[in-house]
């Protein structure tokens, strides 16, 4: 299977209708688990995919390189690798470059060349380009994905990585030897391609920096979401609607400095009738948020899990047109398309609940930075009440009887 | 020689067997078509096919037919061209006409098709689910800035939110039609409808009559080159202010309201002497460049207490660059009037041959503003023959924030598009100042008709959004991915940013 981005005309034969499955596990204590749990959670949701895409994101998996950007790359051929490496070396010091460790798995064929790199910006490079570290990486990712034929950046964050491809997720997980990694947060995805062909780069999670997205649904507002992002220099090259969600989070959280809770409220905006009933200050805030980020609102059915170095957030569309179940089991927060996936890894969870439309379900790893960027410099304590925390939701949750 | 070579365009036929001889046709016709001598006697040459008599005939015995008179076939010298030459040979004048360009240029809206959901993303039922059309007209910041509110939440930082915007319940407003070109009762109907529907009417360039003061929160006050009726009080009354640079029906051309239409009320509203011609110069004589426009925009903001100020232009060849300049000059919205846009009076040669389609203008302006990163700084209002809710949806999908309707609202009030507004004899009481004609529109009745139209189109927009699987108008706005072209050449599709059907 190639990593060359498919052209539009080639898309038609792949228009297969259906859905997707997703799962996410986060140990809020920061304790790590191997990739086996998330593989198991995805395996029981096998029917939600069709073997044309599976993938995982793991956080905390590269403790030996905590301050390096880990680039997971897919190459169509050696030439693409050489061209991409020229770009990487032009701006960065690559401290380790090696093929991804994989093993042969029945059902997985036509894998592209898979490489990973641990890199840092060249000394003086950020000053020379007048860019932040993150902006440089974003620019590099955009350039490689758009300009290097046959090369694709699967992930580009620190101490995390995305392993994905064409196949059922449990096959992909074993192919990438995920049982050998230890992470505190994992997300997984089982794909039933609807609007892009099953190709390695097009599998979920989609990633930028340490942000990853797994998505079930079809974003009906893709047309305007992508045009909005183009204004800010993002190039939507994958021809898939999920990509925009990753970039929108990056724009709002990192570049506009919005708190995570408000970013979620912009993406799955409350109804005007709800906003009109809010107290004055909040009403003005939400009115501005919705009017300004109207083009960013994700409309249409979706359930997404946003992963990042401090944890994960699961979010449904504003009228909950896709399934999403959440549970807490000890220090673990588990979200999935189906309760079966939760019970596969935690047979007796403390609570299971159904998150409401547009209300984020949040899992935070203790001691990890919270995704607040920009000029705010807020401490996690200052925003914890604003975010609909897992504890708050638990109060309303249905108790699970054994 | 006969006074004219031009033969009547229509024939008025009366079935005298059914005729009640009541004379209502004589009374209703504003054109003086009928004499009455024991029965109505029509003079065909005066008929405009406005159907006023037909509509009010209690016996349904009047038929208007096209004059079947044959002209020698000639695709080059059409009958209408021959008649135009005869008319100009008789008068030596510019041929005047009114309403929008009726020529058979392509209608791009009719070559665009909307998408709908099937299976992979569900359509949404607007009868059961919320379906939001609310729209904010005006400048938006690049990003929202917040700060902790001290109670664990967030509040807007100083100046971090949306500046003054006008809230619209649905993305449809009324286009500017001046008091003078239309009657006061039309203005009242539109103002009342605007209030009921939560939208805006637009004074046009003829000032704001005091009877409309109760509706001023739903009125855009226009400042045009003639500056009729403009004063500090006028500017402060409007919900927004609009500088009129151009009009789609007559780009580059000024206006001329004949003295006969300047009665006492029009005179006091326009602040000009009764009976004098009201002449709007082609350019504003204080705007000869973009920097002059900037000064006027800010002067109007200062004078009005920082109300949103929009700029209306005709869609012309270089519209994208012009609109970009207008946004950078500080306008809160850009009003694009396409070449099909209506008018109360215009030279036919200008109306029929100048400007570009509004569909193209929306597409290139929206794209240019996005490329320059200033799309959020101004709303785009699109007008120039928005004929149905489908046109509204397509205009919004191409990139407009709001559409403005003029002709459609007048049709709701009875207009039959006879294109004779400039005569001041409108039998429907719309584009006339004759008291016996203007009283034909009761503002209460008019407001209900126009409100019905806005509500009906809004419901249809909700149906379209539901089929598209989105429940808010902002998810369609600029989403050209939900449009496909049919029967357009590749270049036009590319300019529109729309893929052909099948792709």
């Amino acid at each position: 299977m190639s990593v060359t981005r498919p052209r539009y005309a080639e898309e038609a034969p792949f228009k297969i209708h259906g859905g997707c499955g997703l799962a996410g596990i986060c140990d809020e204590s920061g304790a790590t688990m191997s990739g086996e749990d998330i593989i198991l959670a995805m395996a029981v949701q096998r029917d939600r995919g069709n073997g044309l895409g599976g993938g995982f994101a793991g956080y905390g998996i590269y403790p030996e390189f905590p301050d390096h950007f880990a680039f997971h790359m897919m190459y169509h051929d050696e030439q693409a690798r050489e061209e991409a490496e020229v770009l990487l070396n032009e701006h960065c010091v690559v401290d380790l470059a090696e093929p991804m460790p994989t093993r042969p798995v029945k059902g997985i064929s036509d894998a592209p060349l898979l490489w990973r790199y641990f890199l840092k910006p060249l000394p003086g490079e950020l000053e020379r380009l007048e860019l932040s570290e993150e902006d440089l990486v974003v620019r590099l990712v955009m350039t490689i994905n758009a300009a290097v034929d046959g090369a694709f950046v699967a992930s580009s964050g620190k101490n995390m990585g995305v392993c994905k491809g064409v196949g059922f997720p449990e096959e992909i997980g074993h192919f990438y030897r995920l049982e050998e990694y230890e992470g505190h947060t994992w997300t997984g995805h089982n794909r039933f391609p609807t609007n892009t062909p099953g190709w390695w780069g097009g599998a979920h999670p989609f990633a930028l920096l340490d942000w990853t997205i797994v998505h079930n649904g079809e974003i009906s507002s893709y047309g305007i979401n992508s045009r909005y992002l183009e204004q800010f220099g993002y190039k939507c090259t994958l021809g898939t609607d999920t990509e925009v969600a990753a970039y929108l989070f990056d724009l709002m959280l990192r570049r506009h400095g919005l708190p995570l809770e408000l970013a979620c409220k912009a993406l799955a905006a409350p109804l005007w009738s709800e906003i009109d009933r809010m107290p004055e200050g909040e009403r003005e805030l939400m009115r501005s948020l919705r009017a300004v980020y109207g083009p960013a609102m994700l409309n249409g059915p979706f359930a997404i899990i946003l992963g990042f170095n401090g944890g994960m957030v699961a979010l449904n569309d504003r009228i909950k047109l896709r399934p999403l179940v959440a549970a807490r089991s000890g220090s673990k927060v588990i979200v999935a398309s189906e309760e079966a996936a939760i019970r596969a890894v935690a047979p007796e969870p403390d609570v299971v609940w159904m998150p409401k439309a547009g209300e984020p379900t949040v899992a935070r790893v203790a001691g990890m930075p919270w995704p607040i960027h920009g000029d705010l410099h807020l401490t996690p304590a200052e925003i914890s009440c604003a975010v609909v925390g897992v504890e708050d939701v638990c109060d309303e949750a249905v108790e699970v009887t054994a | 020689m006969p006074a004219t070579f031009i033969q009547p365009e229509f024939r008025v036929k009366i079935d005298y067997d059914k005729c009640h001889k009541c004379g209502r046709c004589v009374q209703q016709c504003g054109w003086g078509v009928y004499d009455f001598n024991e029965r109505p006697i029509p003079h065909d040459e005066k008929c405009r096919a406005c159907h006023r008599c037909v509509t009010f005939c209690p016996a349904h015995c009047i038929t208007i037919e096209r004059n079947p008179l044959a002209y020698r076939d000639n695709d080059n010298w059409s009958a209408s061209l021959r008649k135009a030459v005869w008319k100009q040979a008789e008068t030596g004048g510019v041929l005047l006409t009114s309403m929008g360009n009726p020529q058979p240029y392509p209608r791009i809206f009719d070559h665009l098709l909307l998408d709908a959901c099937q299976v992979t993303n569900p359509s949404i039922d607007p009868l059961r689910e919320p379906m939001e059309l609310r729209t904010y007209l005006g400048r938006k910041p690049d990003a929202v800035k917040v700060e902790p509110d001290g109670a664990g939440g967030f509040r807007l930082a100083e100046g971090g939110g949306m500046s003054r915007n006008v809230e619209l319940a649905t993305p449809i407003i009324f286009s500017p039609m001046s008091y003078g070109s239309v009657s006061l009762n039309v203005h009242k109907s539109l103002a009342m409808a605007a209030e009921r529907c939560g939208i805006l009417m637009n004074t046009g360039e003829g000032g704001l009559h005091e009877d409309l003061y109760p509706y001023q929160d739903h009125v855009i006050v226009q400042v045009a080159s003639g500056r009729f009726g403009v004063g500090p009080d006028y500017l402060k009354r409007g919900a927004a202010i609009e500088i009129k640079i151009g009009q789609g029906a007559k780009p580059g051309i000024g206006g001329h309201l004949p003295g006969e239409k300047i009665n006492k009320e029009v005179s006091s509203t326009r602040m000009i002497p009764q009976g004098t011609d009201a002449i709007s110069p082609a350019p504003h004589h204080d705007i000869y460049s973009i920097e002059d426009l900037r000064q006027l925009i800010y002067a109007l903001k200062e004078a009005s207490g920082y109300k949103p100020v929009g700029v209306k232009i005709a869609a012309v060849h270089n519209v994208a660059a012009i609109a970009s300049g207008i946004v950078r000059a500080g306008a809160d919205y850009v009003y694009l009037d396409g070449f099909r846009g209506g008018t109360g009076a215009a030279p036919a040669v200008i109306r029929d041959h100048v400007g570009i389609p509004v569909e193209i203008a929306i597409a290139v302006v929206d794209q240019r503003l996005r490329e320059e990163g200033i799309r959020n700084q101004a709303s785009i209002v699109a007008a120039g023959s928005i004929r149905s809710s489908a046109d509204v949806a397509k205009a919004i999908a191409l990139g407009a924030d709001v559409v403005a309707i003029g002709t459609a609202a007048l049709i709701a009030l009875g207009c039959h598009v006879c294109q004779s507004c400039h005569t001041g004899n409108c039998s429907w009481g719309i584009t006339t100042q004759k008291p016996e004609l203007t009283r034909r529109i009761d503002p209460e009745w008019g407001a209900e008709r126009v409100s019905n139209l806005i509500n009906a189109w809004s419901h249809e927009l909700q149906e379209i959004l539901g089929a598209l699987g989105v429940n808010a108008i902002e998810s369609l706005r600029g989403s050209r991915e939900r449009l496909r072209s049919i029967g357009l050449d590749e270049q036009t599709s590319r300019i529109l940013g729309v893929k052909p059907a099948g792709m």
Side-chain angles (χ1 to χ4, degrees):
Chain A
M1 180 63 70
S2 123
V3 293
T4 306
R5 278 166 295 288
R7 304 220 176 276
Y8 214 91
E10 294 168 23
E11 214 171 285
F14 290 92
K15 278 249 180 201
I16 303 161
H17 302 303
C20 301
L22 45 80
I25 309 173
C26 172
D27 196 320
E28 293 189 305
S29 72
T32 59
M33 66 201 105
S34 84
E36 279 168 299
D37 277 1
I38 194 73
I39 293 175
L40 186 59
M42 292 315 303
V44 297
Q45 300 186 95
R46 184 183 169 98
D47 281 356
R48 299 190 72 87
N50 62 0
L52 287 179
F56 301 89
Y59 289 89
I61 58 171
Y62 292 130
E64 64 275 32
F65 289 102
D67 297 321
H68 284 71
F69 290 98
F71 270 54
H72 283 194
M73 301 291 303
M74 296 176 172
Y75 297 120
H76 182 248
D77 51 32
E78 284 297 327
Q79 192 193 336
R81 181 168 74 88
E82 282 163 24
E83 284 177 28
E85 286 182 356
V86 166
L87 279 168
L88 292 176
N89 287 313
E90 192 181 323
H91 299 289
C92 301
V93 182
V94 178
D95 284 329
L96 177 64
E98 62 181 5
M100 288 291 295
T102 58
R103 69 160 67 89
V105 168
K106 189 168 175 249
I108 303 292
S109 57
D110 293 332
L113 305 176
L114 298 166
W115 280 68
R116 67 183 174 193
Y117 303 80
F118 296 91
L119 50 84
K120 287 179 170 179
L122 277 173
E125 189 69 358
L126 300 177
E127 293 75 8
R128 187 176 73 80
L129 296 171
E130 295 182 354
L131 290 175
S132 71
E133 199 176 51
E134 288 86 1
D135 281 327
L136 175 72
V137 169
V138 170
R139 218 164 81 164
L140 206 49
V141 171
M142 292 283 164
T143 309
I144 292 171
N145 283 352
V148 182
D149 197 24
F152 178 73
V153 186
S155 65
S156 53
K158 287 180 181 173
N159 201 4
M160 57 78 65
V162 166
C163 299
K164 63 181 184 178
V166 172
F168 283 99
E170 61 274 21
E171 297 165 355
I172 291 289
H174 290 128
F175 172 79
Y176 279 103
R177 307 161 75 131
L178 290 189
E179 75 281 1
E180 295 171 6
Y181 296 80
E182 289 281 327
H184 53 73
T185 302
W186 291 90
T187 63
H189 190 264
N190 187 8
R191 187 151 186 257
F192 204 133
T194 54
N195 58 0
T196 43
W199 64 289
W200 280 66
H204 297 216
F206 287 102
L208 185 69
L209 295 167
D210 65 315
W211 304 107
T212 60
I213 296 266
V214 291
H215 167 238
N216 168 22
E218 185 165 325
I219 296 174
S220 308
S221 55
Y222 170 81
I224 185 55
N225 300 143
S226 60
R227 291 188 75 215
Y228 177 67
L229 284 164
E230 279 166 19
Q231 278 184 256
F232 297 94
Y234 296 90
K235 296 187 182 76
C236 298
T237 54
L238 303 182
T240 171
D241 45 11
T242 311
E243 186 184 26
V244 301
Y247 297 158
L248 285 169
F249 271 115
D250 183 66
L251 173 74
M252 287 194 280
L253 297 176
R254 192 175 59 80
R255 288 174 63 180
H256 287 179
L258 280 178
L260 180 61
E261 193 246 5
L262 292 183
C264 289
K265 289 291 179 196
L267 293 185
L271 298 169
W272 286 118
S273 56
E274 297 173 70
I275 293 172
D276 290 344
R277 288 196 300 270
M278 290 174 179
E280 191 184 342
E282 193 185 355
R283 185 172 68 231
E284 286 316 304
L285 171 60
M286 289 312 301
R287 190 174 287 178
S288 284
L289 198 69
R290 208 178 144 178
V292 172
Y293 293 104
M297 184 162 82
L298 297 177
N299 215 319
F302 71 83
I304 55 177
I305 305 172
L306 170 73
F308 47 87
N309 263 325
M312 66 179 184
V313 174
L315 184 68
N316 254 144
D317 62 82
R318 56 206 302 252
I319 54 175
K320 201 166 174 93
L321 295 169
R322 280 287 194 271
L324 185 67
V325 192
R328 172 174 281 278
S329 178
S331 59
K332 284 181 186 167
V333 176
I334 309 166
V335 291
S337 300
E338 297 178 11
E339 196 174 330
I342 292 171
R343 290 185 185 274
V345 293
E348 302 288 339
D350 304 334
V351 278
V352 177
W353 72 93
M354 192 75 80
K356 288 179 191 164
E359 287 204 348
T361 300
V362 179
R364 296 174 45 195
V365 178
M368 293 288 290
W370 191 238
I372 296 294
H373 302 265
D375 299 321
L376 282 171
H377 305 299
L378 294 177
T379 65
E382 282 176 293
I383 65 154
S384 59
C385 296
V387 177
V388 181
V390 171
E391 292 78 8
D392 298 340
V393 180
C394 283
D395 293 338
E396 298 172 25
V398 180
E399 288 296 324
V400 178
T401 50
Chain B
M1 293 295 285
T4 181
F5 296 167
I6 300 166
Q7 297 306 306
E9 204 167 340
F10 306 103
R11 282 186 172 180
V12 181
K13 287 204 166 169
I14 300 173
D15 182 346
Y16 288 115
D17 291 343
K18 288 165 74 181
C19 178
H20 297 179
K21 323 282 190 287
C22 67
R24 194 175 288 183
C25 48
V26 185
Q27 177 202 7
Q28 290 296 329
C29 182
W31 313 103
V33 166
Y34 296 97
D35 279 338
F36 196 85
N37 187 1
E38 291 184 353
R39 60 185 198 176
I41 315 289
H43 299 277
D44 293 347
E45 69 280 6
K46 294 182 180 170
C47 179
R48 305 282 176 150
C50 81
H51 294 188
R52 181 77 189 185
C53 58
V54 173
T55 311
F56 281 80
C57 173
H60 304 295
C61 68
I62 306 174
T63 313
I64 312 290
E65 292 178 346
R66 191 181 301 284
N67 186 345
L69 182 67
Y71 290 78
R72 182 71 174 225
D73 285 342
N74 191 317
D75 280 347
N76 192 39
W77 278 104
S78 65
S80 60
L81 280 172
R82 281 174 252 184
K83 286 185 208 171
V85 169
W86 287 327
K87 205 175 279 177
Q88 294 192 295
E90 289 163 13
T91 63
V94 170
L95 295 178
L96 279 185
T97 185
S98 36
M99 310 212 72
N101 186 336
Q103 303 298 331
Y105 296 103
R107 288 176 300 278
I108 293 174
F109 280 135
D110 296 342
H111 292 272
L112 294 175
L113 295 168
L114 288 156
D115 193 16
C117 292
Q118 298 287 294
V119 184
T120 55
N121 45 356
S123 47
I124 303 170
D125 187 342
L127 296 176
R128 290 173 176 79
E129 305 274 356
M131 197 56 68
E132 302 182 308
L133 300 178
R134 186 187 293 185
T135 298
Y136 284 90
L137 181 68
R139 173 172 294 245
K140 318 284 187 298
D142 296 341
V144 172
K145 299 274 178 237
V146 298
E147 59 188 19
D149 64 2
F154 295 92
R155 63 174 173 229
L156 281 175
E158 181 74 25
M162 179 168 60
S163 52
R164 291 188 68 160
N165 270 238
V166 183
E167 182 180 308
L168 303 173
T170 190
I172 307 168
I173 60 176
F174 299 125
S175 60
M177 292 177 284
S178 71
Y179 172 40
S181 73
V182 298
S183 71
L184 186 58
N185 283 345
V186 170
H187 254 210
K188 285 182 190 168
S189 301
L190 295 175
M192 289 160 70
E195 185 183 61
R196 287 178 198 178
C197 300
I199 58 168
L200 295 168
M201 70 89 74
N202 190 317
T203 59
E205 60 173 309
L208 181 71
H209 191 277
E210 61 182 16
D211 286 2
L212 270 65
Y213 289 175
Y215 313 102
Q216 62 189 26
D217 291 344
H218 296 276
V219 174
I220 294 174
V221 294
Q222 204 181 57
V223 175
S225 61
R227 301 287 154 87
F228 301 117
V230 177
D233 180 64
Y234 173 74
L235 297 175
K236 284 182 183 141
R237 284 187 186 279
I241 300 167
E242 180 173 291
I243 300 171
K244 179 199 176 182
I245 300 291
Q247 187 175 341
K250 43 181 176 179
I253 295 287
H256 178 186
L257 189 67
E260 302 88 74
K261 276 185 154 179
I262 315 291
N263 61 23
K264 185 164 172 296
E265 292 290 306
V266 174
S267 146
S268 64
T269 306
R270 290 206 173 211
M271 304 179 186
I272 54 168
Q274 207 169 328
T276 55
D277 288 4
I279 295 180
S280 301
H284 287 245
H285 284 307
D286 54 358
I287 304 178
Y288 277 70
S289 64
I290 193 78
E291 59 270 24
D292 291 344
L293 176 67
R294 184 184 180 83
Q295 287 185 3
L296 183 60
I297 289 172
Y298 281 92
L300 293 174
K301 288 188 180 189
E302 291 280 347
S304 64
Y306 282 82
K307 298 232 161 114
V309 175
V311 176
K312 177 182 175 181
I313 53 168
V316 291
H317 300 178
N318 203 18
V319 66
I322 297 164
S324 162
I326 288 169
V327 175
R328 290 178 188 283
D332 295 273
Y333 69 84
V334 186
Y335 184 128
L336 304 170
D337 200 14
F339 83 139
R340 296 261 184 205
T343 176
V349 65
I350 301 290
R351 184 196 69 175
D352 293 352
H353 299 282
V354 180
I356 63 169
V358 71
E359 301 93 324
I360 299 277
I362 299 167
V364 298
V365 169
D366 176 68
Q367 184 61 26
R368 174 69 68 91
L369 297 183
R370 284 180 191 283
E371 284 166 7
E372 297 187 9
I374 55 175
R375 178 65 184 85
N376 57 298
Q377 291 184 16
S379 297
I380 295 176
V381 179
S385 210
I386 303 294
R387 304 159 299 168
S388 65
S389 58
D391 287 357
V392 179
K394 292 169 187 176
I396 288 173
L398 284 172
D401 290 273
V402 176
V403 302
I405 59 166
T407 300
L410 297 188
I411 292 174
L413 291 174
C415 170
H416 278 54
V417 199
C418 76
Q419 303 171 57
S420 309
C421 321
H422 56 293
T423 64
N425 294 325
C426 178
S427 298
W428 291 89
I430 297 168
T431 56
T432 175
Q433 300 304 329
K434 294 180 178 172
E436 70 274 20
L437 297 176
T438 60
R439 72 177 182 206
R440 292 180 176 184
I441 290 184
D442 167 20
E444 187 56 45
W445 171 87
E448 189 179 333
R449 305 258 316 171
V450 178
S451 301
N452 281 346
L453 177 72
I454 297 292
N455 291 336
W457 283 15
S458 298
H459 285 310
E460 288 178 342
L461 274 180
Q462 291 175 323
E463 292 287 346
I464 289 169
L465 289 181
L468 287 164
V470 297
N471 52 13
I473 192 76
E474 58 260 47
S475 297
L476 175 62
R477 184 167 295 127
S479 197
R480 300 178 188 176
E481 179 59 28
R482 310 311 297 275
L483 290 174
R484 291 291 186 269
S485 69
I486 181 92
L488 287 180
D489 62 89
E490 200 179 335
Q491 179 82 335
T492 306
S493 290
R494 198 157 48 235
I495 289 168
L496 292 167
V498 170
K499 294 183 193 120
M503 280 187 78

